[in-house]
Amino acid sequence: MSKIFQSIRAYIIPVKLSEYEVGAYTHLIEKHGGKKCVKQGESTHIFTILKSSTRISRNVESHQVPVIDIQWIRDCDKKQQLLPIETYTIITDRKKLRSSSSDHDALVPSLSLLTTSTATTSISSGSNTDILNRRFKDSPPEDLPFSDESGSTRRGEGENVDLAPGFINTKYECLRPTPYEPKYNKKLVSLLLLLERKRQIDNELKRSLSYRHAISAIKAYPREIQSSKEAEKIIGVGSKIAEKIKVFLHTGTIEEADQLRYDEEFRTISLFNKVFGVGATTARIWWELGYKTLQEVLDNAKLSTTIKLGIELLPDFDQMMSQQDVKEIIDIVTKEVVSINSECFVVPVGGYRRGKTKNGDVDLIISSKNAENMRGFLNKLTQRLIEKDYLKHKLWHSTDIKNLAHAERPSSVGGRQQFDNFEKCFCAFLQPSTGIHRQVDLICVVNPDELATAILGWTGSRQFERAIRDYAKKEKNMSLNSQAIHFEQNGKKNRFVVHSEKDAFDIIGMPYLEPEFRNC
DNA sequence: TGGCTGTACTG
DNA sequence: CAGTAC
DNA sequence: GCCA
DNA sequence: CAGTG
DNA sequence: CACTG
């Protein structure tokens, strides 16, 4: 029995917590000399598992006391000491707000303050704030990603109607190697990518997906396509897309796609859509509200904190990383991980592992052969990275409730789930050499059994993951996610033991594909 | 004509 | 739930 | 939009 | 958030 | 208003 919580009178917001969980937290508080109170009015701190401040506000009577992430209790217990409460504070109390800013915080800020003081562009240092003011009216057309014209110089459809020998014609992209950059049909692929994106921002998800299938197939196709008949034999290319290919073979372009390269609406919505937290719907709403640049959105729209952050970070996040940049970050994180626990290790996944030369983010899996090492690890790690000034913002992080169930097992009922679900944290990481914020996704794999499937799942590509899960389900009656492979047999779920990535391919019964060829 | 990866957080 | 993220 |  | 009771 | 999907 310690005294670290001696001066704490805690109120726990019961929402989203089971009775058992409330009991477990109460136990922790009392174990360290704190008191739990039933009435908020008598408390010095309010604890909650909720993340949304609006949601929290509904459960808080008055903001006289700070609202703290309940995780703090667990972390203090683990470390047996009072941890700095600031990073866990979700809502600061009145007194603190008073001292730092204006009197009535909840009331509307005056007009003058709104436009001028919002220029707290403290984030951008070595970044091109240019992108925030980018607008597309009368601007030069968008570049095509794979625009090597050399293949499409000779116009017109050829005679050849047969598929290229050696091409694996399947609806499952995961069964054939797909390079990141196509060798052939580059311009066609670039144009189809525009159409895919158009369907996507129009929220035509199924159509978008269809283009994705066709694009993957064509990227993997081992020669220039010579006729639309040939194209239509490719599984994933149906009558509509074949028709577009036919036009492309005759004219060297696809009207609808080429137009998009100049289209102000399309390009503006596409840009908005790059912001973390902004999907097709929000992007279009902004467009319909008349915003033409992100700066206008920033100045005038009411934004959640995540999206505001997302916009402010875009000038940095939009700058692609070389493999050297990625290595630098991997080395830093690895060093910190190992110094916390030398048995832990880092596995780079994502596009970097697939050999992409330019990457928009860094995905890192952190694990250990010993599950015990991993309990609460991500919190330790992020805290260190914050202290060392690498980690600047958490864009998103998961809450691992099952970890608690495990930690408190002695008093818990036996049949509790294993502590599966990873802890994840997507953050803005300041790269020292360039001063640019990079999106780093940290994924903590607690259970060693889950490592292989986690690596498989986080290596991607997105399309590869869809295909392999679809294949496992439809063809093998197995279900795959980033934690396990299951096989159903007379209503019983059996979990396979997956020792390695190769093992996973064997279990599913498909040929192994090196990460470089999973760029579907 | 149904289904399109599977799962978790936020508002 | 709809929207978003991986 | 495409496949089964 | 929008919808429900 | 408190809660749910």
Side-chain angles (χ1 to χ4, degrees):
Chain A
M1 158 86 93
S2 78
K3 291 184 173 181
I4 59 177
F5 289 162
Q6 208 169 26
S7 59
I8 305 257
R9 288 198 308 279
Y11 173 80
I12 299 175
I13 298 177
V15 174
K16 291 271 184 190
L17 287 170
S18 67
E19 231 172 68
Y20 158 72
E21 285 157 341
V22 173
Y25 284 117
T26 307
H27 174 73
L28 283 183
I29 292 165
E30 287 167 355
K31 173 174 153 197
H32 293 290
K35 287 199 182 98
K36 180 195 152 160
C37 40
V38 190
K39 292 171 73 180
Q40 275 186 36
E42 296 160 4
S43 65
T44 58
H45 297 74
I46 295 177
F47 295 95
T48 181
I49 197 166
L50 297 174
K51 294 287 169 290
S52 145
S53 52
T54 46
R55 194 76 146 213
I56 291 167
S57 295
R58 293 174 196 168
N59 300 286
V60 174
E61 291 165 10
S62 75
H63 289 198
Q64 304 296 327
V65 288
V67 179
I68 316 293
D69 186 336
I70 203 158
Q71 179 72 35
W72 181 72
I73 295 177
R74 291 202 251 153
D75 290 354
C76 290
D77 174 56
K78 270 175 233 158
K79 292 213 165 183
Q80 297 287 315
Q81 54 167 304
L82 213 57
L83 294 170
I85 207 161
E86 288 77 23
T87 52
Y88 297 86
T89 305
I90 303 169
I91 302 176
T92 26
D93 54 286
R94 273 263 159 67
K95 296 162 208 161
K96 278 190 180 165
L97 278 175
R98 280 269 163 68
S99 63
S100 64
S101 71
S102 73
D103 275 51
H104 32 282
D105 38 83
L107 300 181
V108 189
S110 63
L111 304 165
S112 57
L113 281 172
L114 194 70
T115 41
T116 54
S117 74
T118 4
T120 77
T121 323
S122 51
I123 283 177
S124 32
S125 49
S127 51
N128 56 333
T129 13
D130 167 66
I131 194 171
L132 298 185
N133 293 307
R134 187 171 301 165
R135 60 178 74 242
F136 297 101
K137 190 161 170 57
D138 304 320
S139 73
E142 181 170 327
D143 289 336
L144 300 178
F146 311 121
S147 68
D148 181 71
E149 290 266 348
S150 66
S152 54
T153 40
R154 83 193 159 296
R155 284 290 125 84
E157 272 193 279
E159 306 288 283
N160 201 339
V161 158
D162 294 330
L163 282 174
F167 174 66
I168 301 174
N169 199 13
T170 169
K171 62 177 266 198
Y172 299 112
E173 291 92 337
C174 55
L175 297 182
R176 69 182 162 228
T178 310
Y180 176 67
E181 172 155 359
K183 275 209 188 76
Y184 309 100
N185 306 298
K186 293 188 190 203
K187 186 171 181 197
L188 176 59
V189 168
S190 297
L191 295 172
L192 292 176
L193 279 166
L194 287 164
L195 294 178
E196 184 207 358
R197 193 163 91 224
K198 171 65 173 165
R199 304 296 181 268
Q200 149 79 31
I201 68 165
D202 285 348
N203 252 318
E204 307 217 67
L205 302 187
K206 307 302 163 62
R207 288 195 175 84
S208 175
L209 177 58
S210 278
Y211 277 92
R212 195 63 241 171
H213 284 301
I215 289 165
S216 291
I218 296 172
K219 270 175 76 170
Y221 202 68
R223 71 170 186 218
E224 296 291 334
I225 293 173
Q226 293 160 38
S227 74
S228 58
K229 289 269 186 280
E230 175 188 359
E232 201 167 351
K233 288 189 179 162
I234 298 173
I235 294 177
V237 178
S239 59
K240 302 287 254 305
I241 293 179
E243 185 57 34
K244 293 186 162 77
I245 294 176
K246 184 174 187 175
V247 173
F248 172 77
L249 290 172
H250 281 98
T251 67
T253 191
I254 301 172
E255 181 68 2
E256 183 193 352
D258 201 48
Q259 286 300 103
L260 292 173
R261 298 173 56 208
Y262 303 83
D263 187 306
E264 186 189 5
E265 172 180 329
F266 172 71
R267 298 178 73 185
T268 306
I269 294 178
S270 292
L271 174 64
F272 292 171
N273 190 210
K274 284 178 149 183
V275 175
F276 185 100
V278 177
T281 306
T282 311
R284 178 165 297 279
I285 288 171
W286 288 351
W287 168 259
E288 278 163 8
L289 285 173
Y291 299 127
K292 299 286 192 269
T293 69
L294 284 169
Q295 190 62 53
E296 290 171 13
V297 174
L298 202 49
D299 292 340
N300 303 308
K302 19 184 154 54
L303 305 170
S304 70
T305 47
T306 306
I307 291 185
K308 182 157 183 260
L309 233 193
I311 297 179
E312 288 168 348
L313 286 167
L314 187 65
D316 280 16
F317 283 1
D318 193 47
Q319 305 186 53
M320 293 289 118
M321 279 172 276
S322 67
Q323 294 181 334
Q324 190 59 48
D325 292 323
V326 177
K327 275 193 201 116
E328 179 184 344
I329 289 171
I330 294 173
D331 287 346
I332 291 170
V333 175
T334 304
K335 189 175 141 214
E336 297 304 327
V337 163
V338 171
S339 80
I340 291 172
N341 185 328
S342 61
E343 286 181 6
C344 297
F345 52 85
V346 174
V347 185
V349 286
Y352 176 77
R353 178 155 186 262
R354 297 199 308 276
K356 281 181 66 179
T357 51
K358 297 288 174 191
N359 287 279
D361 69 356
V362 184
D363 301 295
L364 300 175
I365 287 181
I366 298 152
S367 192
S368 164
K369 283 181 189 160
N370 179 358
E372 299 303 306
N373 291 333
M374 300 312 297
R375 192 171 303 139
F377 191 89
L378 196 57
N379 272 294
K380 289 182 214 161
L381 178 61
T382 52
Q383 209 159 310
R384 271 187 100 108
L385 293 174
I386 290 169
E387 280 164 18
K388 301 214 171 181
D389 248 19
Y390 293 122
L391 201 165
K392 293 303 202 178
H393 310 273
K394 290 187 186 178
L395 297 165
W396 187 97
H397 78 89
S398 65
T399 51
D400 186 342
I401 204 148
K402 288 166 190 157
N403 228 346
L404 170 76
H406 181 266
E408 292 297 305
R409 175 113 59 207
S411 60
S412 88
V413 262
R416 207 69 172 192
Q417 283 275 352
Q418 287 298 319
F419 42 126
D420 12 305
N421 283 328
F422 321 142
E423 291 186 58
K424 308 186 211 50
C425 181
F426 304 154
C427 47
F429 187 104
L430 188 61
Q431 183 192 5
S433 70
T434 59
I436 299 173
H437 291 86
R438 306 300 196 174
Q439 184 177 336
V440 176
D441 299 347
L442 301 171
I443 301 105
C444 202
V445 175
V446 173
N447 192 332
D449 285 1
E450 297 175 349
L451 182 59
T453 40
I455 292 173
L456 179 61
W458 283 88
T459 296
S461 65
R462 171 181 147 105
Q463 194 57 24
F464 178 84
E465 298 304 325
R466 289 171 156 185
I468 191 172
R469 288 168 196 213
D470 199 24
Y471 181 76
K473 184 162 73 172
K474 303 273 175 51
E475 307 296 331
K476 308 287 176 168
N477 192 30
M478 295 176 188
S479 82
L480 167 69
N481 61 23
S482 35
Q483 286 142 45
I485 302 176
H486 288 105
F487 179 67
E488 270 200 62
Q489 209 172 253
N490 9 310
K492 275 193 89 178
K493 263 204 171 183
N494 302 306
R495 188 182 193 280
F496 281 99
V497 181
V498 186
H499 298 289
S500 68
E501 213 181 31
K502 276 210 171 68
D503 209 15
F505 281 81
D506 286 344
I507 291 168
I508 298 172
M510 47 182 276
Y512 182 73
L513 209 52
E514 294 294 341
E516 305 86 83
F517 296 117
R518 301 180 197 165
N519 291 295
C520 309

PDB file of all heavy atoms in Angstrom, chain A residues 207 210 236 241, chain D:
ATOM      1  N   ARG A 207     -17.394   1.302 -57.332  1.00  0.00           N
ATOM      2  CA  ARG A 207     -16.789   1.576 -58.637  1.00  0.00           C
ATOM      3  C   ARG A 207     -15.302   1.835 -58.486  1.00  0.00           C
ATOM      4  O   ARG A 207     -14.489   1.339 -59.245  1.00  0.00           O
ATOM      5  CB  ARG A 207     -17.463   2.774 -59.295  1.00  0.00           C
ATOM      6  CG  ARG A 207     -18.848   2.457 -59.777  1.00  0.00           C
ATOM      7  CD  ARG A 207     -19.377   3.514 -60.732  1.00  0.00           C
ATOM      8  NE  ARG A 207     -20.665   3.098 -61.252  1.00  0.00           N
ATOM      9  CZ  ARG A 207     -21.815   3.284 -60.622  1.00  0.00           C
ATOM     10  NH1 ARG A 207     -21.832   3.895 -59.460  1.00  0.00           N
ATOM     11  NH2 ARG A 207     -22.941   2.861 -61.142  1.00  0.00           N
ATOM     12  N   SER A 210     -13.562  -1.322 -58.282  1.00  0.00           N
ATOM     13  CA  SER A 210     -13.445  -1.980 -59.578  1.00  0.00           C
ATOM     14  C   SER A 210     -12.247  -1.460 -60.361  1.00  0.00           C
ATOM     15  O   SER A 210     -11.505  -2.226 -60.971  1.00  0.00           O
ATOM     16  CB  SER A 210     -14.707  -1.745 -60.398  1.00  0.00           C
ATOM     17  OG  SER A 210     -15.696  -2.646 -60.006  1.00  0.00           O
ATOM     18  N   GLY A 236     -11.062  -8.538 -64.169  1.00  0.00           N
ATOM     19  CA  GLY A 236     -11.034  -7.232 -63.510  1.00  0.00           C
ATOM     20  C   GLY A 236     -11.278  -6.124 -64.507  1.00  0.00           C
ATOM     21  O   GLY A 236     -11.648  -5.024 -64.130  1.00  0.00           O
ATOM     22  N   ILE A 241     -14.471  -0.598 -68.767  1.00  0.00           N
ATOM     23  CA  ILE A 241     -13.059  -0.230 -68.755  1.00  0.00           C
ATOM     24  C   ILE A 241     -12.402  -0.633 -70.079  1.00  0.00           C
ATOM     25  O   ILE A 241     -11.558   0.102 -70.614  1.00  0.00           O
ATOM     26  CB  ILE A 241     -12.352  -0.853 -67.527  1.00  0.00           C
ATOM     27  CG1 ILE A 241     -12.904  -0.207 -66.244  1.00  0.00           C
ATOM     28  CG2 ILE A 241     -10.838  -0.650 -67.607  1.00  0.00           C
ATOM     29  CD1 ILE A 241     -12.326  -0.721 -64.951  1.00  0.00           C
TER      30      ILE A 241
ATOM     31  P    DG D   1     -19.520   2.851 -64.244  1.00  0.00           P
ATOM     32  OP1  DG D   1     -19.102   3.249 -65.528  1.00  0.00           O
ATOM     33  OP2  DG D   1     -20.846   2.635 -63.819  1.00  0.00           O
ATOM     34  O5'  DG D   1     -18.700   1.542 -63.752  1.00  0.00           O
ATOM     35  C5'  DG D   1     -17.363   1.711 -63.359  1.00  0.00           C
ATOM     36  C4'  DG D   1     -16.756   0.328 -63.263  1.00  0.00           C
ATOM     37  O4'  DG D   1     -17.104  -0.247 -61.970  1.00  0.00           O
ATOM     38  C3'  DG D   1     -17.256  -0.665 -64.312  1.00  0.00           C
ATOM     39  O3'  DG D   1     -16.131  -1.413 -64.727  1.00  0.00           O
ATOM     40  C2'  DG D   1     -18.300  -1.499 -63.571  1.00  0.00           C
ATOM     41  C1'  DG D   1     -17.797  -1.483 -62.143  1.00  0.00           C
ATOM     42  N9   DG D   1     -18.820  -1.494 -61.091  1.00  0.00           N
ATOM     43  C8   DG D   1     -19.975  -0.753 -61.025  1.00  0.00           C
ATOM     44  N7   DG D   1     -20.670  -0.974 -59.941  1.00  0.00           N
ATOM     45  C5   DG D   1     -19.918  -1.918 -59.231  1.00  0.00           C
ATOM     46  C6   DG D   1     -20.161  -2.546 -57.987  1.00  0.00           C
ATOM     47  O6   DG D   1     -21.121  -2.386 -57.231  1.00  0.00           O
ATOM     48  N1   DG D   1     -19.150  -3.435 -57.641  1.00  0.00           N
ATOM     49  C2   DG D   1     -18.038  -3.671 -58.401  1.00  0.00           C
ATOM     50  N2   DG D   1     -17.184  -4.557 -57.900  1.00  0.00           N
ATOM     51  N3   DG D   1     -17.797  -3.104 -59.566  1.00  0.00           N
ATOM     52  C4   DG D   1     -18.778  -2.247 -59.927  1.00  0.00           C
ATOM     53  P    DC D   2     -16.279  -2.553 -65.812  1.00  0.00           P
ATOM     54  OP1  DC D   2     -15.068  -2.468 -66.626  1.00  0.00           O
ATOM     55  OP2  DC D   2     -17.623  -2.491 -66.403  1.00  0.00           O
ATOM     56  O5'  DC D   2     -16.172  -3.874 -64.927  1.00  0.00           O
ATOM     57  C5'  DC D   2     -15.096  -4.014 -64.018  1.00  0.00           C
ATOM     58  C4'  DC D   2     -15.263  -5.317 -63.261  1.00  0.00           C
ATOM     59  O4'  DC D   2     -16.261  -5.130 -62.240  1.00  0.00           O
ATOM     60  C3'  DC D   2     -15.726  -6.479 -64.137  1.00  0.00           C
ATOM     61  O3'  DC D   2     -14.816  -7.545 -63.982  1.00  0.00           O
ATOM     62  C2'  DC D   2     -17.119  -6.817 -63.612  1.00  0.00           C
ATOM     63  C1'  DC D   2     -17.066  -6.287 -62.186  1.00  0.00           C
ATOM     64  N1   DC D   2     -18.368  -5.868 -61.612  1.00  0.00           N
ATOM     65  C2   DC D   2     -18.744  -6.324 -60.340  1.00  0.00           C
ATOM     66  O2   DC D   2     -17.995  -7.082 -59.730  1.00  0.00           O
ATOM     67  N3   DC D   2     -19.933  -5.933 -59.824  1.00  0.00           N
ATOM     68  C4   DC D   2     -20.716  -5.109 -60.509  1.00  0.00           C
ATOM     69  N4   DC D   2     -21.872  -4.742 -59.953  1.00  0.00           N
ATOM     70  C5   DC D   2     -20.352  -4.622 -61.802  1.00  0.00           C
ATOM     71  C6   DC D   2     -19.183  -5.022 -62.317  1.00  0.00           C
ATOM     72  P    DC D   3     -14.973  -8.869 -64.812  1.00  0.00           P
ATOM     73  OP1  DC D   3     -13.647  -9.224 -65.331  1.00  0.00           O
ATOM     74  OP2  DC D   3     -16.128  -8.731 -65.723  1.00  0.00           O
ATOM     75  O5'  DC D   3     -15.358  -9.899 -63.666  1.00  0.00           O
ATOM     76  C5'  DC D   3     -14.615  -9.882 -62.459  1.00  0.00           C
ATOM     77  C4'  DC D   3     -15.262 -10.812 -61.450  1.00  0.00           C
ATOM     78  O4'  DC D   3     -16.456 -10.202 -60.926  1.00  0.00           O
ATOM     79  C3'  DC D   3     -15.675 -12.178 -62.003  1.00  0.00           C
ATOM     80  O3'  DC D   3     -15.231 -13.135 -61.079  1.00  0.00           O
ATOM     81  C2'  DC D   3     -17.199 -12.097 -62.107  1.00  0.00           C
ATOM     82  C1'  DC D   3     -17.517 -11.142 -60.956  1.00  0.00           C
ATOM     83  N1   DC D   3     -18.756 -10.338 -61.103  1.00  0.00           N
ATOM     84  C2   DC D   3     -19.638 -10.223 -60.019  1.00  0.00           C
ATOM     85  O2   DC D   3     -19.385 -10.810 -58.962  1.00  0.00           O
ATOM     86  N3   DC D   3     -20.750  -9.467 -60.151  1.00  0.00           N
ATOM     87  C4   DC D   3     -20.987  -8.831 -61.301  1.00  0.00           C
ATOM     88  N4   DC D   3     -22.097  -8.083 -61.390  1.00  0.00           N
ATOM     89  C5   DC D   3     -20.106  -8.938 -62.423  1.00  0.00           C
ATOM     90  C6   DC D   3     -19.009  -9.694 -62.281  1.00  0.00           C
ATOM     91  P    DA D   4     -15.158 -14.681 -61.497  1.00  0.00           P
ATOM     92  OP1  DA D   4     -13.834 -15.175 -61.081  1.00  0.00           O
ATOM     93  OP2  DA D   4     -15.628 -14.844 -62.880  1.00  0.00           O
ATOM     94  O5'  DA D   4     -16.276 -15.298 -60.530  1.00  0.00           O
ATOM     95  C5'  DA D   4     -16.326 -14.921 -59.152  1.00  0.00           C
ATOM     96  C4'  DA D   4     -17.630 -15.418 -58.547  1.00  0.00           C
ATOM     97  O4'  DA D   4     -18.704 -14.506 -58.894  1.00  0.00           O
ATOM     98  C3'  DA D   4     -18.074 -16.800 -59.028  1.00  0.00           C
ATOM     99  O3'  DA D   4     -18.695 -17.489 -57.950  1.00  0.00           O
ATOM    100  C2'  DA D   4     -19.105 -16.482 -60.110  1.00  0.00           C
ATOM    101  C1'  DA D   4     -19.744 -15.227 -59.530  1.00  0.00           C
ATOM    102  N9   DA D   4     -20.317 -14.330 -60.515  1.00  0.00           N
ATOM    103  C8   DA D   4     -19.926 -14.128 -61.817  1.00  0.00           C
ATOM    104  N7   DA D   4     -20.641 -13.233 -62.456  1.00  0.00           N
ATOM    105  C5   DA D   4     -21.570 -12.819 -61.507  1.00  0.00           C
ATOM    106  C6   DA D   4     -22.614 -11.893 -61.560  1.00  0.00           C
ATOM    107  N6   DA D   4     -22.908 -11.171 -62.643  1.00  0.00           N
ATOM    108  N1   DA D   4     -23.351 -11.724 -60.446  1.00  0.00           N
ATOM    109  C2   DA D   4     -23.055 -12.438 -59.357  1.00  0.00           C
ATOM    110  N3   DA D   4     -22.095 -13.340 -59.189  1.00  0.00           N
ATOM    111  C4   DA D   4     -21.378 -13.482 -60.313  1.00  0.00           C
TER     112       DA D   4
END
